[in-house]
Amino acid sequence: MHGEYKVPGGKLVVVELDDHDGVLRNVRVAGDFFLEPDEALPAMDRALEGAPAATEAAELAERIRAGLPEGTVMYGLTAEGVATAVRRALAQATDWTDYDWQLIHEEPQPPALHMALDEVLTAEVAAGRRPPTLRVWEWGGPAVVIGSFQSLGNEVDTEAAQRHGMTVVRRISGGGAMFVEPGNTITYSLSVPASLVSGLSFADSYAYLDEWVLGALGDMGIKAWYQPLNDIVTDAGKIAGAAQKRMVGPDGGPGAVLHHVTMSYDIDAEKMLEVLRIGREKLSGKGIRSAEKRVDPLRRQTGLSREAVIDRMIRSFGRRYGLSRGPLTPQELERAGELAATKFSTPQWTARVP
């Protein structure tokens, strides 16, 4: 069995092993990390040899630490990273490069249709009818998007939203509210087979699925990192937030994962604080300048147009994993249109948590 895991902010770990009657055998750890002394590498192999295959990652990491020579120093490597690579090998996890990725980047769509497309496309990936997909959103109007479990009344001043012409919609994933203005926001979704994150904890899957965009931002001169559970930040402040939804496949199969990210290209902090109640509470007494500091826009950090940032992100993804542009199918559009009308535009869904 073969497992790979890139330690967030570190190096690639590769593990080869056999599962003999529920016990790890012939374990070999490798990768492009740095490790001293040399004897630490075979020590890791010995620490994992004979472990029950059902051992959780935390316990595997403890075995590794206990087996390392005194004074071992790891560069770009952690015991947890090795343990995660073991779990991914046992789960027969897939890799980004195992797939033919498809890009969907279409004309602006209404907010409710975007919510529906996330659900439809991820269900299609879960059913095996669609390849793994990167969808870059273009917004047809300003919106507030609240998380699946948030209280509408606690999060949004609906009168202020209406006054500013903002549509309020609820998405299928958890997490916090998104303040969206078309020219100020960059949003994308990944709809991926569940096997891509097999062997990863829920938190680790966020870091794993965000790794490519950190690289893309780095290419634009932005030193960004993942901050648990679901933020992408720089020294200047937060620039993006992520959310996920897991879907089972037909007949209870492995299914798919929806991972979507909203990035702040620019921000009207005063308007945001009028519309989002939670923003007022978090920033009470600190003023608008604090809101601007809390969310630091990509426009200021890159000096690039929104379109140029998106183009560089898409090209970075394609260089890493390959990417071909593809359309939404008529069936997907029809189903998404139905869901937008019967679910995501209805008060029964939007106010399901009043």
Side-chain angles (χ1 to χ4, degrees), residues 319-342:
R319 285 194 301 268
R320 285 167 172 256
Y321 311 125
L323 189 63
S324 60
R325 188 178 292 266
L328 293 163
T329 69
Q331 295 81 7
E332 289 166 345
L333 271 173
E334 181 180 4
R335 177 60 179 147
E338 291 174 359
L339 277 177
T342 61

Side-chain angles (χ1 to χ4, degrees), residues 44-304:
M44 280 194 282
D45 297 341
R46 290 193 298 271
L48 293 166
E49 190 76 18
T55 306
E56 294 295 329
E59 188 176 340
L60 289 172
E62 285 300 322
R63 289 177 68 111
I64 292 166
R65 277 190 286 267
L68 290 172
E70 187 175 352
T72 294
V73 180
M74 301 181 185
Y75 302 93
L77 174 69
T78 63
E80 288 77 11
V82 176
T84 298
V86 171
R87 294 307 320 165
R88 284 176 61 76
L90 291 165
Q92 298 184 347
T94 53
D95 185 71
W96 295 84
T97 55
D98 292 333
Y99 300 105
D100 294 324
W101 289 87
Q102 186 170 106
L103 169 69
I104 292 177
H105 188 193
E106 305 236 328
E107 68 279 356
Q109 307 282 7
L113 188 61
H114 278 306
M115 304 303 107
L117 284 169
D118 264 358
E119 180 169 329
V120 169
L121 296 182
T122 307
E124 290 296 288
V125 173
R129 291 187 292 264
R130 161 170 282 282
T133 299
L134 167 65
R135 182 170 74 91
V136 179
W137 303 22
E138 294 295 345
W139 291 91
V144 175
V145 184
I146 59 175
S148 182
F149 312 109
Q150 288 188 293
S151 161
L152 174 62
N154 287 347
E155 300 297 327
V156 184
D157 184 328
T158 53
E159 290 185 2
Q162 185 175 19
R163 185 167 64 251
H164 289 293
M166 306 191 82
T167 302
V168 181
V169 291
R170 184 185 295 274
R171 63 181 184 267
I172 61 173
S173 63
M178 298 156 47
F179 177 82
V180 173
E181 293 184 292
N184 290 348
T185 306
I186 296 173
T187 306
Y188 69 84
S189 300
L190 289 169
S191 296
V192 306
S195 58
L196 185 63
V197 296
S198 292
L200 298 178
S201 68
F202 189 75
D204 285 343
S205 72
Y206 274 84
Y208 184 72
L209 294 175
D210 283 339
E211 183 71 25
W212 76 273
V213 80
L214 298 182
L217 291 169
D219 293 342
M220 289 181 261
I222 300 176
K223 181 176 172 52
W225 61 90
Y226 162 76
Q227 181 171 290
L229 171 67
N230 61 335
D231 288 343
I232 297 173
V233 300
T234 70
D235 285 332
K238 175 179 172 179
I239 57 174
Q244 287 187 6
K245 175 68 176 178
R246 310 293 173 106
M247 292 187 182
V248 299
D251 303 320
V257 177
L258 167 66
H259 179 92
H260 44 199
V261 173
T262 293
M263 314 179 80
S264 176
Y265 173 72
D266 206 343
I267 186 170
D268 185 333
E270 185 172 1
K271 187 186 296 184
M272 181 183 73
L273 292 182
E274 286 184 39
V275 173
L276 298 184
R277 296 185 190 279
I278 196 70
R280 299 174 194 172
E281 295 169 10
K282 286 182 178 178
L283 299 166
S284 61
K286 298 179 182 178
I288 301 306
R289 295 176 70 181
S290 294
E292 292 171 339
K293 189 173 181 180
R294 177 181 167 83
V295 181
D296 197 67
L298 289 170
R299 178 187 58 78
R300 182 162 60 238
Q301 295 203 45
T302 65
L304 298 170

